């Protein structure tokens, strides 16, 4: 990797000077304006970004390999912002050895392997040679997308979610193409979209949902759940959507190869007619592009201006919540939404899609007779419900959803079972890390009770499995308490 960067550092510097001479921007070019193209007023009246350079470059760690990669991405973003209707005919020339080296840096090295079994470390041993070969095949059209390896992960409802694992080299190229697509489409996406976008998180989605509910003092909530979205994404419709902004032949042929690569499950290779594998690096950006056209743009530009009251939407990947101040608006949306999604080959889940009245009980004893059996709802792993604050005011509170709570305990119990024969010190070290990860996500204001309860249940599970290390083992509570003095489980505030 070092040699790849060194060989092209001089080339990158000459390219920057040349581009500056042609008005293409350079390291000393002015920053991109802070305002993005599509920023309709959201729950908090519009939300500022953390900086366009960060939005273009995505979530990375460490120091970027070269400023020229950032410069190229920023220039693409400037052109996309300045001309919202522009279709880019030439983008692949931005991807060179230096660009692929940056894509390699951003690619997770310890992830699951694809059908070829190659790891990130093995690929890095001959990185310069591998990247040059990949670039040549990509530019010449000789690149053949390998099938993804099918595996399954448990879902909260007891079912399993199919995951497609690409090869490591495929991940690197998908990352490079994703970087280019993000530079274009981040200028088009609306603030109501949060999932798998640079510098946007589930916590931001939750905060904006909370702010919107409090500002409107509740309303009619429409929970959206699209049935098997990643399996039903229509390829021909996606191509038509991409035609509006990206017509580069090299990129489009490569994307088509990924869509047609197939799925290898055991010894059986299949080629689905629709969908994009969950687990692929490029799948999230393709999904966001698809739902931006199918849902976000339609809601913001065509639905909201026609409503009688206020409304807003929060979408994270294929899960979304719409909130309306007027019942009539909400019911009209419930009627037309299936037709709209049907145009894109999508359907709403019949039981997980719900419309209900979500307002606090009033002083006159409002029993919410118009409800459809719900006074709370789950979104992104949290149950949202009304409660009285210490000041005696009705507020929306959030706690860990029972399904997520139970799933977390089930997973950690299974982990205890597998590692019960490992040294206690090692178990403690790994357990603390797992609890910190749990707290990083679920540690929001008002959820401390669920965090402490989770600690309590985890402690009981640890003693249970330590007691089952052997037939002679006898981990009594008094003995376990002495063990906790030596290996304490930190409280949520200390994790």
């Amino acid at each position: 990797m070092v040699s790849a960067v060194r060989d092209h550092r001089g080339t990158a510097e000459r390219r920057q000077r040349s581009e500056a001479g042609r008005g293409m921007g350079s390291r000393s070019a002015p920053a991109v304006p802070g305002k993005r193209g599509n920023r309709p007023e959201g729950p908090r009246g519009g939300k500022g970004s953390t900086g366009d350079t960060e939005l273009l470059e995505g979530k990375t760690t460490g120091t970027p390999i070269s400023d020229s990669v950032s410069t190229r991405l920023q220039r693409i973003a400037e052109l996309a912002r300045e001309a919202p209707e522009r279709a880019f005919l030439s983008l692949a020339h931005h991807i060179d050895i230096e660009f692929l080296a940056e894509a390699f840096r951003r690619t997770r090295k310890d992830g699951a392997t694809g059908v070829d079994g190659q790891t990130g470390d093995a690929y890095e041993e001959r990185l310069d040679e591998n990247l040059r070969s990949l670039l040549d095949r990509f530019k010449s059209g000789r690149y053949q997308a390998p099938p993804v390896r099918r595996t399954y992960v448990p879902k909260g409802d007891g079912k399993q979610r199919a995951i497609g694992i690409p090869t490591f080299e495929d991940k690197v190229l998908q990352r490079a193409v994703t970087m280019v697509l993000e530079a274009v489409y981040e200028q088009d996406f609306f603030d109501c979209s949060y999932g798998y976008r640079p510098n946007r998180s589930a916590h931001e989605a939750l905060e904006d949902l909370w702010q919107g509910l409090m500002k409107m003092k509740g309303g009619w909530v429409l929970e959206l759940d699209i049935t098997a979205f990643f399996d039903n994404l229509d390829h021909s419709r996606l191509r038509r959507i991409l035609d509006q902004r990206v017509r580069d032949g090299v990129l489009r042929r490569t994307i088509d190869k990924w869509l047609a690569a197939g799925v290898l499950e055991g010894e059986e290779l299949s080629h689905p007619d629709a969908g994009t594998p969950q687990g692929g690096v490029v799948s999230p950006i393709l999904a966001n592009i698809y739902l931006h056209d199918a849902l976000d743009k339609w809601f913001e530009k065509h639905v909201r201006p026609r409503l009688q009251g206020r409304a807003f939407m929060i979408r994270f990947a294929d899960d979304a919540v719409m909130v309306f101040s007027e019942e009539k608006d909400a019911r009209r949306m419930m009627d037309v939404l299936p037709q709209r999604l049907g145009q894109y080959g999508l359907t709403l889940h019949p039981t997980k899609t719900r419309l209900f009245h979500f307002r606090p009980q009033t002083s006159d004893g409002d029993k919410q007779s118009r409800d459809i059996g719900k006074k709370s709802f789950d979104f992104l792993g949290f149950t949202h419900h009304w409660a009285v604050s210490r000041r005696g005011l009705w507020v929306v509170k959030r706690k860990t959803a029972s399904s997520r709570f139970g799933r977390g305990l089930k997973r950690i119990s299974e982990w205890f079972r597998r590692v019960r024969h490992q040294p206690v010190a090692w178990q403690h070290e790994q357990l603390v890390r797992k609890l910190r990860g749990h707290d990083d996500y679920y540690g929001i204001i008002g959820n401390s009770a669920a965090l402490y309860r989770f600690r309590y249940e985890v402690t009981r599970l640890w003693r249970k499995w330590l007691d089952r290390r052997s037939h002679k083992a006898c981990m009594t509570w008094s003995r376990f308490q002495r063990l906790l003095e030596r290996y304490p489980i930190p409280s949520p505030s200390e994790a």
Side-chain angles (χ1 to χ4, degrees), residues 415-426:
W415 179 78
F416 279 141
R417 185 190 66 81
R418 294 197 312 267
V419 304
R420 64 186 184 275
H421 297 296
Q422 297 293 333
V424 173
W426 180 87

Side-chain angles (χ1 to χ4, degrees), residues 355-386:
L355 174 65
F356 60 97
H357 197 217
F358 184 71
R359 280 203 170 96
Q361 183 173 344
T362 58
S363 58
D364 59 358
D366 179 13
K367 297 181 180 179
Q368 300 187 7
S369 58
R370 295 171 296 176
D371 287 8
I372 307 179
K374 287 198 68 176
K375 296 183 181 179
S376 66
F377 66 95
D378 293 350
F379 186 62
L380 297 181
F382 290 89
T383 297
H384 297 68
H385 62 99
W386 287 101

Side-chain angles (χ1 to χ4, degrees), residues 386-428:
W386 287 101
V388 179
S389 69
R390 294 179 180 179
R391 298 170 57 187
L393 303 175
W394 283 100
V395 296
V396 176
K397 290 196 173 183
R398 299 162 294 179
K399 61 182 180 181
T400 306
S402 58
S403 59
R404 294 292 186 92
F405 192 95
R407 190 195 313 177
L409 289 179
K410 183 177 179 180
R411 288 180 177 176
I412 207 163
S413 179
E414 176 61 24
W415 179 78
F416 279 141
R417 185 190 66 81
R418 294 197 312 267
V419 304
R420 64 186 184 275
H421 297 296
Q422 297 293 333
V424 173
W426 180 87
Q427 291 187 42
H428 175 260

Side-chain angles (χ1 to χ4, degrees), residues 93-105:
H93 67 280
H94 292 290
I95 301 178
D96 56 11
I97 289 292
E98 191 175 19
F99 202 98
L100 286 180
E102 173 65 5
F104 169 82
R105 186 187 72 85

